[in-house]
């Protein structure tokens, strides 16, 4: 393949895909943190567990002791309101 052919292929690819900036990869922790900081929606118990790097038993103990806000049950799973988690973190 000549340089001219290669340049033509690159131009074709740029026309097809444009100059789309590649978003930097976001870690799972950062994604959960962004969701909580938005104050909108819900975060699952498993995500809260992963976010705080604690085991399930600790999360349940924190709920019982009031360290974490009271979760809601949706479809058999526990979810925390992001607004409640955000408020808890700001205290």
């Amino acid at each position: 393949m000549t340089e001219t052919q290669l340049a033509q292929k690159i131009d074709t690819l740029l026309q097809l895909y444009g100059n789309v900036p590649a978003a930097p990869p976001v870690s799972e922790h950062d994604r959960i943190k962004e969701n909580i900081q938005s104050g909108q929606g819900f975060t699952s118990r498993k995500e809260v567990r992963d976010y705080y790097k604690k085991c399930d038993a600790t999360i349940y103990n924190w709920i019982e002791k009031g360290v974490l806000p009271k979760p809601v049950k949706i479809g058999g799973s526990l979810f925390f309101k992001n607004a409640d988690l955000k408020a808890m973190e700001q205290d």
Side-chain angles (χ1 to χ4, degrees):
M1 179 178 291
T2 67
E3 284 186 41
T4 306
Q5 291 172 325
L6 183 57
Q8 288 173 345
K9 288 195 182 258
I10 291 172
D11 287 340
T12 302
L13 287 173
L14 286 174
Q15 288 173 2
L16 288 172
Y17 299 105
N19 291 324
V20 178
V26 177
S27 71
E28 188 69 10
H29 183 269
D30 289 341
R31 183 191 64 76
I32 295 168
K33 184 176 183 175
E34 286 176 13
N35 287 345
I36 291 171
Q37 292 304 312
S38 76
Q40 299 177 351
F42 296 90
T43 298
S44 72
R45 177 196 49 83
K46 291 178 182 179
E47 289 174 324
V48 168
R49 176 196 66 197
D50 295 344
Y51 179 69
Y52 290 109
K53 297 179 181 161
K54 302 294 179 188
C55 67
D56 288 327
T58 299
I59 298 300
Y60 285 115
N61 284 335
W62 283 2
I63 293 168
E64 197 173 302
K65 292 178 181 179
V67 175
L68 287 172
K70 187 174 179 178
V72 294
K73 201 169 206 178
I74 302 173
S77 298
L78 292 180
F79 290 87
F80 296 88
K81 292 180 184 176
N82 285 333
D84 294 344
L85 292 172
K86 182 180 178 180
M88 179 199 76
E89 287 189 348
Q90 290 176 348
D91 288 340

